[in-house]
Amino acid sequence: MLILLPPSEGKTSATAGDPVDPAALWLPELAAARTRVLNRLVALCKRSSERSVADSLTVLGLSTGQRDEITRNAGLPDAPAAPAAQIYTGVLYEALDPAGLAPASRAWLDETAVVFSGLWGVVRLGDRIPAYRCSIGVTLPQVGGLTPYWKKVLKPALDRLDGPVLDLRSGAYVAMWAPGPRSAQVRVLHERLVGGVAKRSVVSHFNKATKGRLVRALAEDRATPGSVDELVVAMRDLKFTVEERPAPEGRPRQLDIVVSDL
């Protein structure tokens, strides 16, 4: 099984450690593609004039209050790197809490879960990376839009992988790679009473936290489903309320996890 995770916007910088080695990350054949994006991002952020900083903020979709992100990106080649599980923060990763897992469950997680990234393409949680700022929606000079860039690069590397895929990525990152019918995409619905009527809606906090708890539960169980059907059974056995929605033939299975206040 492979679990696909989004990155988090918030990241914690490593305080010590050697710089990142793109060839040491998962799927080393992506090293050249990663290095190209890294070099163009660093070049964009190293320009020092006020006009250049403003341009860099615009390209990266950042506000003037996020100028420190430009400085951090400019120093990426020499920045300390740490396991991605320590770098990525936010609601999903707080709920997942990789550091709190038993060694066998953490080994399962490091082998099974991967994070999609605008800068690195895809990494395992044990891969050592520095903190950075570069979303998948960015268009970099001489590289172009990162979504089509990575879509072309990742397809041959990921299409050869076997087993069911649990896709927990957010919308923008889903476009990087389409695993097809062997996968299940998950949506989290918050169910509550509104005017005495049960209503369901997607709520960002519940969505991210529930996905983090789901991955943690699967890691603690060290689940080994051989198909999407077996994956659904495993999720239900772990006390998650899972409902399936119709999906076009040949497309990922569509699953809802319902978190109820009723």
Side-chain angles (χ1 to χ4, degrees):
M1 179 171 66
L2 196 65
I3 299 176
L4 314 183
L5 298 176
S8 61
E9 188 172 281
K11 301 175 185 70
T12 299
S13 295
T15 57
D18 294 332
V20 64
D21 176 2
L25 305 178
W26 186 52
L27 300 177
E29 62 267 36
L30 303 181
R34 290 168 173 143
T35 300
R36 185 182 179 203
V37 177
L38 176 63
N39 288 344
R40 297 322 308 165
L41 178 63
V42 170
L44 171 73
C45 294
K46 271 191 170 180
R47 299 179 300 177
S48 59
S49 71
E50 281 297 315
R51 174 71 176 272
S52 296
V53 170
D55 289 345
S56 298
L57 290 170
T58 299
V59 169
L60 296 178
L62 303 177
S63 68
T64 54
Q66 295 174 300
R67 294 170 64 101
D68 287 349
E69 299 284 0
I70 301 299
T71 302
R72 183 161 71 174
N73 279 351
L76 283 175
D78 301 313
Q86 297 178 27
I87 298 297
Y88 292 117
T89 58
V91 175
L92 187 155
Y93 291 92
E94 288 175 0
L96 172 55
D97 186 22
L101 288 170
S105 295
R106 177 59 191 270
W108 180 97
L109 180 68
D110 287 345
E111 180 72 19
T112 306
V114 296
V115 183
F116 280 68
S117 162
L119 175 53
W120 311 114
V122 62
V123 296
R124 280 180 165 157
L125 286 170
D127 286 348
R128 296 178 62 261
I129 59 172
Y132 64 95
R133 192 61 173 264
C134 183
S135 72
I136 192 60
V138 166
T139 298
L140 286 177
Q142 300 181 33
V143 171
L146 292 180
T147 298
Y149 177 85
W150 284 118
K151 186 175 183 178
K152 180 179 179 180
V153 172
L154 292 177
K155 182 175 173 55
L158 296 178
D159 278 357
R160 67 172 185 263
L161 300 178
D162 295 324
V165 175
L166 179 60
D167 192 350
L168 304 180
R169 296 173 295 173
S170 52
Y173 290 88
V174 168
M176 294 175 69
W177 177 56
R182 59 182 168 147
S183 68
Q185 291 180 334
V186 170
R187 178 178 70 171
V188 177
L189 298 178
H190 180 213
E191 185 176 59
R192 66 197 190 283
L193 284 177
V194 179
V197 179
K199 299 286 188 180
R200 292 179 174 182
S201 61
V202 177
V203 180
S204 179
H205 175 83
F206 282 95
N207 178 56
K208 295 174 182 177
T210 301
K211 288 178 177 178
R213 288 193 294 269
L214 172 62
V215 178
R216 182 177 181 85
L218 290 167
E220 290 175 333
D221 194 55
R222 283 178 279 163
T224 56
S227 67
V228 173
D229 286 335
E230 291 181 10
L231 173 59
V232 171
V233 171
M235 293 163 64
R236 288 173 174 159
D237 286 346
L238 292 168
K239 309 305 180 185
F240 288 88
T241 300
V242 182
E243 300 177 358
E244 185 160 4
R245 288 176 286 121
E249 186 176 353
R251 304 291 293 175
R253 302 265 290 273
Q254 299 296 306
L255 305 179
D256 288 340
I257 295 179
V258 181
V259 180
S260 181
D261 288 343
L262 303 183

